[in-house]
Structures are given as structure tokens and as C-alpha cells.
Amino acid sequence: MTDSTAPMIGILGGYGRVGAAAARTLAAEGGHRLRIGGRDATAAWALARRLGGDTEAAVADAANSQSVTHFSRGCAAVLDCTGTAFALRGRVRREVLAAGGHYVAMADDGGPRTPSGPFVAVLFTGLSATFAGWLPRRLATGLAAAQRFTGWYGGPGTAPLHAAVTCLLGLRRAGHGPRAVDCPPLPAPWGPSWPLPARPGTVRRGLPEELREQSCLLRLDAGAWYEVFHGTAVPAVLDAFAARSEGDDEESLTATARQLVRAGRGTPRGSRGLTVCGTLDGLTPEGSAVRRGMLLGCSEPTALLGTLAAVAVREVTAGRVPPGVHSLAATLPTEGTDWISRHLPRATVRMTEVLTGAPEMMPSAPTAAPQPG
């Protein structure tokens, strides 16, 4: 049985694909009570019964302020997996914070980025942008100085509509559209492991807001981020959107997001997994120049999203995130990667470190995640 004094985490949209994955992760970790919410009471209670313990369910409609307030009462934090955050323009966040809980959203809610009293708000800014901000933080852990970071993202071709909207908002925040380039060769030993075509359709280089922030905080000399796509359909939609100077209203963003989802459906079979790779040059506390690398491969991006959501809300309720509005990239822990391998089926994480100029890499043993219980 879960301790009745353990913090309550409410999950709006808790029986959807991302919400259910987050709920399963939190239930497996323990230390929390869970409240599954959504408009479908039957689905909410069905998941609550499967999770067991002190998990409860409640009817909640994200579009109804009174319903959100009622659902949020007693929650240390509310995880919003409904996908309606942007359309509601920060309203769910305001209701959750007013009810006395922290707020974590798996979308950009379009609300202000200014602090709201003693509470925490965490916004998801897309998988690519999240890893662009988290990878340099992870690789710089324990170094005396970080100098240069380069990252590659090969993502799934399709995405839920709300994730596509979040991607477009992130592109707008970046201030300029990523440009198509030739893909630089991946450093050993990643090259043979990179599960993408020998000639990917499009490679785009950009500088997401999350990487710009970390470049400043880590005082990097240089940072680069490459997105690798199968084919040209998805990049064509992104480039057309970046070239527009207007059209960020809800209707226009939703229409473009639908185009993005349709374009992604043309992704070749077998290429729907996600692969992220990053390298960081820096100095150890002893003054040695090193290059660190990390490779993450995941065949189930939805499970990855759920794990990221669960870890973020766990960090928030544990008091490890200061008050204010943060991106998910700045919230994820940097110590270790076991939180990935414990919950992601068939995920692979590999870390390397080499003295600069040394003849060979010294990879750690790759870790393949067990099937979740």
C-alpha cells in the first residue's frame, strides 16, 4: 500500500497513450499517490484499477475551469497530458496553480513564461528541443569546463497533433528556421550504430532555444544541433512555416500542425524509432581534455514521452526544481541514465569518454532496458 501521506499527483488525460505511460512509470517508481483524470470515467477507473495501490480516478474536463479546480485540489502537482494546453492559452496552468499545486504539461500551453509565486510550471517544447537542451547538461556533469557540443536527432516521422503544434511554437521561438545542410559524419563509435538511411532525405541544422540557453549557462564556445529526416515532406512544411511572418493564431497553427502530421505519415516503414546522439568537448577537474558522447535509441517514442513526463513531475514534487516556469529540458535529472533504462522497453543508452587525441574510445557497456513490470 502507498503511504497515505505521500504526495498526490493528478494526471489529466491520464488514460491516453502518453498519460497512461507516465502513470505506469510513476506507479512502478512508488512514493506517490495517483489520480487519473479525463472526461471518460470508465477509462479512468479502468486504468486506476490496473495500476492498483491507492490510485484513484475522477472525471475532469480540461476545458472546464471548475472541473480542473476540483480535480487539482489535494494534488502536489498536476501532469497535463490532454494535448489541449495551447488551445486553452494557459488556463489549465492558472487553475492548477490557484488550487495550490505545481503544473507539468506535455505541450506548450501558450501562457506566459514569467514566475507565478512559489509554484513550478514545466512546459514540454518537443522531443528534439528537449534533448537539445538536456544532452549538453548531462554530458557536462562533473566537468570543470564545457567547450563544444554537437548533437544529432533522428526522430519519428509522425507525431500527435498537440506535439506538432508544440514543434511549430518552438520553431517560432527559435527566431529563425533551421537550414538544410549536409550531415556531418558521426564520430566513432556512433557511425555504424546510427539507424538511419545512408542518405537521409533532409538534414537541417538549427539552434533551438533550449540549446541556446544551455550554451549560455555552460559557457560553450560552440553548439550545433542537426535534425535528420527520412524524405523531404516534413522539412518542407517546417520551412514554409518558418518563412511566414504571420499566422500564429490558433486556427493557423492547428492547420499547419495537421499538414505536419500528414507529411510525417509518409515516413518509411521501420523508421519510426528515435535516435539521439551528442558529443561534448571539455576539461576534467584535473585539467585533461576529454570528449564525452551519448547515444540513445528508443523504438517507442510514446513510451519515452511518458517516461519524460513522469520523471519531470517526480523532480518537481521532490522539490528539486525551483519556482518559476521551466522547459522540460531544464528539469530532467543529469545524474545517471538509469531512469531511462528502467522504464523504456528495448531502449539502448551508451556513454563514452575519451581523452582528446587518444587512439581509441572507451565505451561503457550499453544498457538495454528490461521490459517494464
Short mmCIF file of all heavy atoms in Angstrom, two decimals, residues 75-146:
data_model
loop_
_atom_site.label_atom_id
_atom_site.label_comp_id
_atom_site.label_asym_id
_atom_site.label_seq_id
_atom_site.Cartn_x
_atom_site.Cartn_y
_atom_site.Cartn_z
N CYS A 75 -3.75 17.91 -4.83
CA CYS A 75 -2.63 17.42 -5.63
C CYS A 75 -1.39 18.26 -5.38
O CYS A 75 -1.44 19.51 -5.44
CB CYS A 75 -2.95 17.45 -7.12
SG CYS A 75 -4.20 16.26 -7.64
N ALA A 76 -0.27 17.61 -5.12
CA ALA A 76 1.01 18.33 -5.04
C ALA A 76 1.40 18.84 -6.41
O ALA A 76 2.05 19.89 -6.54
CB ALA A 76 2.09 17.41 -4.49
N ALA A 77 1.02 18.10 -7.46
CA ALA A 77 1.31 18.51 -8.84
C ALA A 77 0.29 17.87 -9.76
O ALA A 77 -0.26 16.80 -9.46
CB ALA A 77 2.72 18.08 -9.25
N VAL A 78 0.03 18.54 -10.87
CA VAL A 78 -0.85 18.01 -11.90
C VAL A 78 -0.06 17.89 -13.19
O VAL A 78 0.60 18.86 -13.63
CB VAL A 78 -2.09 18.90 -12.12
CG1 VAL A 78 -2.87 18.46 -13.35
CG2 VAL A 78 -2.98 18.87 -10.88
N LEU A 79 -0.09 16.72 -13.79
CA LEU A 79 0.55 16.46 -15.07
C LEU A 79 -0.52 16.51 -16.15
O LEU A 79 -1.48 15.73 -16.12
CB LEU A 79 1.22 15.08 -15.04
CG LEU A 79 1.82 14.56 -16.35
CD1 LEU A 79 2.89 15.50 -16.87
CD2 LEU A 79 2.40 13.15 -16.14
N ASP A 80 -0.37 17.45 -17.07
CA ASP A 80 -1.38 17.68 -18.11
C ASP A 80 -0.95 16.97 -19.39
O ASP A 80 -0.03 17.40 -20.08
CB ASP A 80 -1.53 19.18 -18.35
CG ASP A 80 -2.62 19.52 -19.35
OD1 ASP A 80 -3.23 18.59 -19.91
OD2 ASP A 80 -2.86 20.72 -19.58
N CYS A 81 -1.61 15.86 -19.70
CA CYS A 81 -1.33 15.10 -20.92
C CYS A 81 -2.51 15.15 -21.88
O CYS A 81 -2.67 14.27 -22.72
CB CYS A 81 -1.01 13.64 -20.57
SG CYS A 81 0.48 13.42 -19.58
N THR A 82 -3.35 16.19 -21.78
CA THR A 82 -4.56 16.25 -22.59
C THR A 82 -4.29 16.66 -24.03
O THR A 82 -5.09 16.37 -24.91
CB THR A 82 -5.56 17.24 -21.98
OG1 THR A 82 -4.96 18.55 -21.95
CG2 THR A 82 -5.94 16.82 -20.57
N GLY A 83 -3.21 17.42 -24.25
CA GLY A 83 -2.95 17.90 -25.61
C GLY A 83 -3.75 19.12 -25.99
O GLY A 83 -3.66 19.59 -27.12
N THR A 84 -4.52 19.69 -25.06
CA THR A 84 -5.34 20.87 -25.36
C THR A 84 -4.74 22.14 -24.76
O THR A 84 -5.37 23.20 -24.78
CB THR A 84 -6.76 20.69 -24.82
OG1 THR A 84 -6.69 20.53 -23.39
CG2 THR A 84 -7.44 19.48 -25.42
N ALA A 85 -3.52 22.04 -24.22
CA ALA A 85 -2.95 23.15 -23.46
C ALA A 85 -2.88 24.44 -24.27
O ALA A 85 -3.26 25.51 -23.80
CB ALA A 85 -1.57 22.77 -22.93
N PHE A 86 -2.37 24.36 -25.52
CA PHE A 86 -2.20 25.59 -26.29
C PHE A 86 -3.54 26.23 -26.61
O PHE A 86 -3.70 27.46 -26.53
CB PHE A 86 -1.44 25.31 -27.58
CG PHE A 86 -1.41 26.51 -28.50
CD1 PHE A 86 -0.60 27.59 -28.20
CD2 PHE A 86 -2.21 26.57 -29.63
CE1 PHE A 86 -0.58 28.71 -29.01
CE2 PHE A 86 -2.20 27.68 -30.45
CZ PHE A 86 -1.38 28.76 -30.15
N ALA A 87 -4.52 25.42 -26.96
CA ALA A 87 -5.83 25.96 -27.31
C ALA A 87 -6.46 26.71 -26.14
O ALA A 87 -7.23 27.66 -26.33
CB ALA A 87 -6.76 24.83 -27.77
N LEU A 88 -6.10 26.31 -24.90
CA LEU A 88 -6.68 26.94 -23.72
C LEU A 88 -5.83 28.09 -23.20
O LEU A 88 -6.18 28.73 -22.20
CB LEU A 88 -6.88 25.89 -22.62
CG LEU A 88 -7.86 24.78 -23.00
CD1 LEU A 88 -7.89 23.71 -21.92
CD2 LEU A 88 -9.26 25.34 -23.23
N ARG A 89 -4.69 28.35 -23.86
CA ARG A 89 -3.88 29.54 -23.58
C ARG A 89 -3.53 29.70 -22.10
O ARG A 89 -3.69 30.76 -21.52
CB ARG A 89 -4.59 30.79 -24.08
CG ARG A 89 -4.78 30.86 -25.58
CD ARG A 89 -3.46 31.06 -26.27
NE ARG A 89 -3.61 31.25 -27.71
CZ ARG A 89 -2.60 31.58 -28.52
NH1 ARG A 89 -1.40 31.77 -28.02
NH2 ARG A 89 -2.80 31.72 -29.82
N GLY A 90 -3.03 28.65 -21.49
CA GLY A 90 -2.54 28.75 -20.12
C GLY A 90 -3.60 28.66 -19.05
O GLY A 90 -3.29 28.79 -17.86
N ARG A 91 -4.86 28.42 -19.43
CA ARG A 91 -5.94 28.42 -18.45
C ARG A 91 -5.82 27.26 -17.48
O ARG A 91 -6.05 27.41 -16.28
CB ARG A 91 -7.29 28.37 -19.17
CG ARG A 91 -8.46 28.78 -18.26
CD ARG A 91 -9.69 29.02 -19.08
NE ARG A 91 -10.29 27.77 -19.55
CZ ARG A 91 -11.13 27.68 -20.57
NH1 ARG A 91 -11.45 28.77 -21.26
NH2 ARG A 91 -11.64 26.52 -20.92
N VAL A 92 -5.44 26.07 -17.98
CA VAL A 92 -5.30 24.92 -17.09
C VAL A 92 -4.19 25.19 -16.07
O VAL A 92 -4.33 24.91 -14.87
CB VAL A 92 -5.00 23.64 -17.89
CG1 VAL A 92 -4.76 22.46 -16.95
CG2 VAL A 92 -6.14 23.32 -18.84
N ARG A 93 -3.09 25.76 -16.54
CA ARG A 93 -2.00 26.09 -15.63
C ARG A 93 -2.47 27.03 -14.52
O ARG A 93 -2.17 26.81 -13.34
CB ARG A 93 -0.84 26.74 -16.39
CG ARG A 93 0.41 26.93 -15.54
CD ARG A 93 1.28 28.09 -15.94
NE ARG A 93 1.64 28.11 -17.34
CZ ARG A 93 2.52 28.99 -17.85
NH1 ARG A 93 3.09 29.88 -17.06
NH2 ARG A 93 2.78 28.99 -19.14
N ARG A 94 -3.20 28.06 -14.89
CA ARG A 94 -3.67 29.02 -13.89
C ARG A 94 -4.56 28.36 -12.85
O ARG A 94 -4.46 28.64 -11.65
CB ARG A 94 -4.42 30.17 -14.58
CG ARG A 94 -3.52 31.10 -15.37
CD ARG A 94 -4.25 32.36 -15.75
NE ARG A 94 -5.40 32.12 -16.63
CZ ARG A 94 -5.34 32.06 -17.95
NH1 ARG A 94 -4.16 32.21 -18.56
NH2 ARG A 94 -6.43 31.85 -18.68
N GLU A 95 -5.45 27.47 -13.29
CA GLU A 95 -6.35 26.81 -12.36
C GLU A 95 -5.59 25.86 -11.43
O GLU A 95 -5.89 25.78 -10.23
CB GLU A 95 -7.43 26.03 -13.13
CG GLU A 95 -8.33 26.89 -13.99
CD GLU A 95 -9.11 27.92 -13.19
OE1 GLU A 95 -9.36 27.67 -12.00
OE2 GLU A 95 -9.45 28.98 -13.75
N VAL A 96 -4.61 25.15 -11.95
CA VAL A 96 -3.83 24.22 -11.13
C VAL A 96 -3.04 24.99 -10.08
O VAL A 96 -3.02 24.64 -8.89
CB VAL A 96 -2.90 23.37 -12.01
CG1 VAL A 96 -1.91 22.58 -11.15
CG2 VAL A 96 -3.71 22.42 -12.88
N LEU A 97 -2.35 26.05 -10.51
CA LEU A 97 -1.55 26.83 -9.57
C LEU A 97 -2.43 27.48 -8.50
O LEU A 97 -2.06 27.54 -7.32
CB LEU A 97 -0.75 27.91 -10.31
CG LEU A 97 0.27 27.42 -11.36
CD1 LEU A 97 1.03 28.60 -11.95
CD2 LEU A 97 1.23 26.41 -10.76
N ALA A 98 -3.61 27.96 -8.91
CA ALA A 98 -4.53 28.59 -7.95
C ALA A 98 -5.03 27.58 -6.92
O ALA A 98 -5.33 27.94 -5.77
CB ALA A 98 -5.70 29.22 -8.68
N ALA A 99 -5.10 26.31 -7.32
CA ALA A 99 -5.55 25.26 -6.40
C ALA A 99 -4.43 24.80 -5.47
O ALA A 99 -4.66 23.96 -4.58
CB ALA A 99 -6.09 24.07 -7.19
N GLY A 100 -3.22 25.34 -5.67
CA GLY A 100 -2.12 25.04 -4.76
C GLY A 100 -1.19 23.94 -5.19
O GLY A 100 -0.43 23.40 -4.36
N GLY A 101 -1.17 23.59 -6.48
CA GLY A 101 -0.28 22.54 -6.96
C GLY A 101 0.65 23.04 -8.04
O GLY A 101 0.45 24.11 -8.63
N HIS A 102 1.70 22.29 -8.29
CA HIS A 102 2.61 22.57 -9.41
C HIS A 102 1.99 22.03 -10.70
O HIS A 102 1.08 21.19 -10.67
CB HIS A 102 3.97 21.91 -9.17
CG HIS A 102 4.62 22.32 -7.88
ND1 HIS A 102 5.00 23.61 -7.60
CD2 HIS A 102 4.96 21.58 -6.78
CE1 HIS A 102 5.55 23.68 -6.40
NE2 HIS A 102 5.54 22.45 -5.88
N TYR A 103 2.52 22.47 -11.84
CA TYR A 103 1.93 22.12 -13.14
C TYR A 103 3.02 21.66 -14.09
O TYR A 103 4.04 22.33 -14.27
CB TYR A 103 1.23 23.35 -13.72
CG TYR A 103 0.60 23.15 -15.09
CD1 TYR A 103 -0.51 22.34 -15.27
CD2 TYR A 103 1.13 23.80 -16.21
CE1 TYR A 103 -1.09 22.18 -16.51
CE2 TYR A 103 0.56 23.65 -17.46
CZ TYR A 103 -0.55 22.84 -17.61
OH TYR A 103 -1.12 22.68 -18.86
N VAL A 104 2.82 20.49 -14.68
CA VAL A 104 3.72 19.96 -15.71
C VAL A 104 2.87 19.62 -16.92
O VAL A 104 1.90 18.86 -16.80
CB VAL A 104 4.47 18.70 -15.21
CG1 VAL A 104 5.36 18.15 -16.32
CG2 VAL A 104 5.30 19.03 -13.96
N ALA A 105 3.22 20.18 -18.08
CA ALA A 105 2.41 19.96 -19.29
C ALA A 105 3.25 19.31 -20.37
O ALA A 105 4.38 19.71 -20.62
CB ALA A 105 1.86 21.30 -19.80
N MET A 106 2.66 18.32 -21.04
CA MET A 106 3.33 17.69 -22.17
C MET A 106 2.95 18.40 -23.46
O MET A 106 2.67 17.77 -24.49
CB MET A 106 2.99 16.21 -22.21
CG MET A 106 3.60 15.43 -21.06
SD MET A 106 5.37 15.77 -20.81
CE MET A 106 6.06 15.00 -22.26
N ALA A 107 2.95 19.72 -23.39
CA ALA A 107 2.71 20.58 -24.54
C ALA A 107 3.11 21.98 -24.11
O ALA A 107 3.33 22.24 -22.93
CB ALA A 107 1.24 20.55 -24.98
N ASP A 108 3.22 22.87 -25.07
CA ASP A 108 3.43 24.29 -24.77
C ASP A 108 2.04 24.90 -24.61
O ASP A 108 1.24 24.88 -25.54
CB ASP A 108 4.19 24.95 -25.91
CG ASP A 108 4.64 26.37 -25.57
OD1 ASP A 108 3.90 27.05 -24.83
OD2 ASP A 108 5.70 26.80 -26.05
N ASP A 109 1.75 25.43 -23.43
CA ASP A 109 0.39 25.90 -23.19
C ASP A 109 0.15 27.33 -23.68
O ASP A 109 -0.94 27.87 -23.51
CB ASP A 109 0.01 25.76 -21.71
CG ASP A 109 0.73 26.75 -20.80
OD1 ASP A 109 1.60 27.49 -21.28
OD2 ASP A 109 0.42 26.77 -19.59
N GLY A 110 1.16 27.95 -24.29
CA GLY A 110 0.96 29.28 -24.85
C GLY A 110 0.85 30.38 -23.81
O GLY A 110 0.62 31.54 -24.15
N GLY A 111 0.99 30.03 -22.54
CA GLY A 111 0.89 31.02 -21.47
C GLY A 111 2.21 31.75 -21.26
O GLY A 111 3.22 31.48 -21.91
N PRO A 112 2.22 32.69 -20.31
CA PRO A 112 3.42 33.48 -20.06
C PRO A 112 4.55 32.64 -19.49
O PRO A 112 4.32 31.61 -18.85
CB PRO A 112 2.95 34.53 -19.04
CG PRO A 112 1.77 33.90 -18.38
CD PRO A 112 1.10 33.08 -19.43
N ARG A 113 5.79 33.10 -19.70
CA ARG A 113 6.96 32.40 -19.17
C ARG A 113 7.46 33.05 -17.88
O ARG A 113 8.59 32.82 -17.48
CB ARG A 113 8.08 32.41 -20.22
CG ARG A 113 7.75 31.67 -21.52
CD ARG A 113 7.49 30.20 -21.25
NE ARG A 113 7.23 29.44 -22.45
CZ ARG A 113 8.15 28.75 -23.11
NH1 ARG A 113 9.40 28.77 -22.70
NH2 ARG A 113 7.84 28.09 -24.19
N THR A 114 6.64 33.87 -17.25
CA THR A 114 7.03 34.54 -16.03
C THR A 114 6.63 33.71 -14.82
O THR A 114 5.64 32.97 -14.86
CB THR A 114 6.37 35.93 -15.94
OG1 THR A 114 4.96 35.78 -16.12
CG2 THR A 114 6.91 36.84 -17.02
N PRO A 115 7.38 33.81 -13.70
CA PRO A 115 7.07 33.02 -12.50
C PRO A 115 5.68 33.33 -11.95
O PRO A 115 5.14 34.42 -12.15
CB PRO A 115 8.16 33.43 -11.51
CG PRO A 115 9.27 33.98 -12.35
CD PRO A 115 8.58 34.62 -13.54
N SER A 116 5.12 32.34 -11.25
CA SER A 116 3.80 32.51 -10.63
C SER A 116 3.90 32.13 -9.16
O SER A 116 3.55 31.03 -8.76
CB SER A 116 2.75 31.66 -11.34
OG SER A 116 2.63 32.02 -12.70
N GLY A 117 4.42 33.05 -8.34
CA GLY A 117 4.52 32.80 -6.91
C GLY A 117 5.46 31.67 -6.58
O GLY A 117 6.49 31.48 -7.25
N PRO A 118 5.13 30.84 -5.59
CA PRO A 118 6.05 29.80 -5.12
C PRO A 118 5.97 28.50 -5.91
O PRO A 118 6.61 27.52 -5.54
CB PRO A 118 5.59 29.57 -3.68
CG PRO A 118 4.11 29.82 -3.73
CD PRO A 118 3.93 30.94 -4.72
N PHE A 119 5.20 28.49 -6.99
CA PHE A 119 4.94 27.24 -7.68
C PHE A 119 5.83 27.05 -8.91
O PHE A 119 6.44 27.99 -9.41
CB PHE A 119 3.47 27.16 -8.09
CG PHE A 119 2.53 27.18 -6.91
CD1 PHE A 119 1.78 28.31 -6.62
CD2 PHE A 119 2.43 26.08 -6.07
CE1 PHE A 119 0.94 28.34 -5.53
CE2 PHE A 119 1.59 26.10 -4.97
CZ PHE A 119 0.85 27.23 -4.69
N VAL A 120 5.85 25.81 -9.39
CA VAL A 120 6.64 25.43 -10.56
C VAL A 120 5.70 25.11 -11.71
O VAL A 120 4.67 24.46 -11.52
CB VAL A 120 7.51 24.18 -10.25
CG1 VAL A 120 8.26 23.73 -11.50
CG2 VAL A 120 8.47 24.46 -9.11
N ALA A 121 6.06 25.56 -12.90
CA ALA A 121 5.38 25.16 -14.13
C ALA A 121 6.44 24.65 -15.10
O ALA A 121 7.46 25.32 -15.31
CB ALA A 121 4.60 26.32 -14.75
N VAL A 122 6.22 23.48 -15.66
CA VAL A 122 7.16 22.88 -16.62
C VAL A 122 6.42 22.66 -17.93
O VAL A 122 5.33 22.07 -17.94
CB VAL A 122 7.72 21.53 -16.10
CG1 VAL A 122 8.63 20.89 -17.14
CG2 VAL A 122 8.47 21.74 -14.78
N LEU A 123 7.01 23.13 -19.03
CA LEU A 123 6.38 23.02 -20.34
C LEU A 123 7.24 22.16 -21.26
O LEU A 123 8.45 22.32 -21.33
CB LEU A 123 6.19 24.41 -20.96
CG LEU A 123 5.42 25.43 -20.12
CD1 LEU A 123 5.33 26.75 -20.86
CD2 LEU A 123 4.02 24.91 -19.77
N PHE A 124 6.58 21.27 -21.96
CA PHE A 124 7.24 20.44 -22.97
C PHE A 124 7.38 21.24 -24.26
O PHE A 124 6.43 21.88 -24.71
CB PHE A 124 6.41 19.18 -23.22
CG PHE A 124 6.94 18.26 -24.27
CD1 PHE A 124 8.17 17.66 -24.12
CD2 PHE A 124 6.19 17.98 -25.41
CE1 PHE A 124 8.65 16.80 -25.09
CE2 PHE A 124 6.66 17.12 -26.37
CZ PHE A 124 7.90 16.52 -26.22
N THR A 125 8.57 21.23 -24.85
CA THR A 125 8.81 22.02 -26.05
C THR A 125 9.18 21.17 -27.26
O THR A 125 9.75 21.67 -28.23
CB THR A 125 9.93 23.04 -25.79
OG1 THR A 125 11.08 22.36 -25.26
CG2 THR A 125 9.49 24.09 -24.78
N GLY A 126 8.84 19.88 -27.20
CA GLY A 126 9.13 18.98 -28.31
C GLY A 126 10.29 18.06 -27.96
O GLY A 126 11.19 18.42 -27.20
N LEU A 127 10.29 16.85 -28.54
CA LEU A 127 11.35 15.88 -28.23
C LEU A 127 12.71 16.37 -28.69
O LEU A 127 13.70 16.28 -27.96
CB LEU A 127 11.03 14.54 -28.88
CG LEU A 127 10.16 13.57 -28.07
CD1 LEU A 127 9.80 12.36 -28.90
CD2 LEU A 127 10.89 13.14 -26.80
N SER A 128 12.79 16.90 -29.91
CA SER A 128 14.07 17.36 -30.42
C SER A 128 14.64 18.47 -29.54
O SER A 128 15.79 18.43 -29.12
CB SER A 128 13.92 17.85 -31.87
OG SER A 128 15.15 18.36 -32.37
N ALA A 129 13.82 19.49 -29.24
CA ALA A 129 14.29 20.60 -28.43
C ALA A 129 14.64 20.15 -27.01
O ALA A 129 15.60 20.65 -26.40
CB ALA A 129 13.23 21.69 -28.39
N THR A 130 13.87 19.21 -26.48
CA THR A 130 14.16 18.72 -25.12
C THR A 130 15.53 18.07 -25.05
O THR A 130 16.32 18.35 -24.14
CB THR A 130 13.07 17.72 -24.69
OG1 THR A 130 11.82 18.42 -24.56
CG2 THR A 130 13.42 17.08 -23.35
N PHE A 131 15.85 17.22 -26.01
CA PHE A 131 17.16 16.59 -25.99
C PHE A 131 18.27 17.56 -26.34
O PHE A 131 19.40 17.43 -25.85
CB PHE A 131 17.17 15.37 -26.92
CG PHE A 131 16.51 14.17 -26.31
CD1 PHE A 131 15.29 13.72 -26.80
CD2 PHE A 131 17.07 13.52 -25.24
CE1 PHE A 131 14.67 12.63 -26.23
CE2 PHE A 131 16.46 12.42 -24.65
CZ PHE A 131 15.25 11.97 -25.15
N ALA A 132 17.98 18.56 -27.16
CA ALA A 132 18.98 19.57 -27.48
C ALA A 132 19.38 20.35 -26.23
O ALA A 132 20.52 20.82 -26.13
CB ALA A 132 18.45 20.54 -28.54
N GLY A 133 18.46 20.49 -25.27
CA GLY A 133 18.79 21.18 -24.04
C GLY A 133 19.30 20.27 -22.94
O GLY A 133 20.12 20.69 -22.11
N TRP A 134 18.84 19.01 -22.92
CA TRP A 134 19.24 18.11 -21.84
C TRP A 134 20.59 17.45 -22.08
O TRP A 134 21.40 17.31 -21.15
CB TRP A 134 18.18 17.02 -21.63
CG TRP A 134 18.57 16.03 -20.57
CD1 TRP A 134 18.60 16.25 -19.22
CD2 TRP A 134 19.02 14.68 -20.77
NE1 TRP A 134 19.03 15.10 -18.57
CE2 TRP A 134 19.28 14.14 -19.50
CE3 TRP A 134 19.20 13.89 -21.91
CZ2 TRP A 134 19.75 12.83 -19.33
CZ3 TRP A 134 19.65 12.58 -21.74
CH2 TRP A 134 19.92 12.07 -20.47
N LEU A 135 20.89 17.06 -23.32
CA LEU A 135 22.14 16.34 -23.59
C LEU A 135 23.38 17.11 -23.15
O LEU A 135 24.26 16.54 -22.49
CB LEU A 135 22.24 15.98 -25.07
CG LEU A 135 21.70 14.61 -25.49
CD1 LEU A 135 21.86 14.43 -27.00
CD2 LEU A 135 22.43 13.50 -24.75
N PRO A 136 23.53 18.40 -23.51
CA PRO A 136 24.74 19.09 -23.03
C PRO A 136 24.81 19.17 -21.51
O PRO A 136 25.90 19.09 -20.93
CB PRO A 136 24.64 20.48 -23.68
CG PRO A 136 23.24 20.62 -24.14
CD PRO A 136 22.74 19.24 -24.42
N ARG A 137 23.67 19.31 -20.83
CA ARG A 137 23.66 19.31 -19.38
C ARG A 137 24.16 17.97 -18.84
O ARG A 137 24.98 17.93 -17.91
CB ARG A 137 22.24 19.55 -18.84
CG ARG A 137 21.69 20.94 -19.06
CD ARG A 137 20.28 21.06 -18.48
NE ARG A 137 20.24 20.80 -17.05
CZ ARG A 137 19.41 19.94 -16.46
NH1 ARG A 137 18.54 19.25 -17.19
NH2 ARG A 137 19.44 19.77 -15.16
N ARG A 138 23.66 16.88 -19.43
CA ARG A 138 24.06 15.55 -18.98
C ARG A 138 25.55 15.31 -19.21
O ARG A 138 26.26 14.81 -18.34
CB ARG A 138 23.22 14.49 -19.71
CG ARG A 138 23.68 13.05 -19.46
CD ARG A 138 23.47 12.66 -18.01
NE ARG A 138 24.01 11.34 -17.72
CZ ARG A 138 25.24 11.11 -17.29
NH1 ARG A 138 26.09 12.12 -17.12
NH2 ARG A 138 25.65 9.89 -17.02
N LEU A 139 26.03 15.66 -20.38
CA LEU A 139 27.42 15.38 -20.72
C LEU A 139 28.40 16.27 -19.96
O LEU A 139 29.55 15.90 -19.76
CB LEU A 139 27.63 15.53 -22.23
CG LEU A 139 26.90 14.50 -23.11
CD1 LEU A 139 27.02 14.87 -24.58
CD2 LEU A 139 27.47 13.10 -22.86
N ALA A 140 27.95 17.45 -19.54
CA ALA A 140 28.84 18.38 -18.83
C ALA A 140 28.94 18.07 -17.34
O ALA A 140 29.79 18.65 -16.65
CB ALA A 140 28.35 19.81 -19.02
N THR A 141 28.11 17.15 -16.84
CA THR A 141 28.10 16.85 -15.41
C THR A 141 29.48 16.36 -14.95
O THR A 141 30.03 15.41 -15.50
CB THR A 141 27.05 15.77 -15.09
OG1 THR A 141 25.77 16.24 -15.48
CG2 THR A 141 27.03 15.44 -13.61
N GLY A 142 30.04 17.05 -13.96
CA GLY A 142 31.34 16.65 -13.41
C GLY A 142 32.53 17.27 -14.10
O GLY A 142 33.66 17.13 -13.61
N LEU A 143 32.33 17.96 -15.21
CA LEU A 143 33.44 18.61 -15.89
C LEU A 143 33.73 19.98 -15.26
O LEU A 143 32.82 20.65 -14.76
CB LEU A 143 33.15 18.79 -17.37
CG LEU A 143 33.08 17.53 -18.23
CD1 LEU A 143 32.76 17.90 -19.68
CD2 LEU A 143 34.37 16.72 -18.16
N ALA A 144 34.99 20.38 -15.33
CA ALA A 144 35.35 21.71 -14.85
C ALA A 144 34.96 22.78 -15.86
O ALA A 144 34.66 23.92 -15.49
CB ALA A 144 36.86 21.78 -14.59
N ALA A 145 34.94 22.42 -17.14
CA ALA A 145 34.57 23.37 -18.19
C ALA A 145 34.03 22.60 -19.38
O ALA A 145 34.51 21.51 -19.71
CB ALA A 145 35.76 24.22 -18.61
N ALA A 146 33.00 23.15 -20.01
CA ALA A 146 32.45 22.58 -21.24
C ALA A 146 32.77 23.55 -22.38
O ALA A 146 32.66 24.76 -22.21
CB ALA A 146 30.94 22.40 -21.11
#
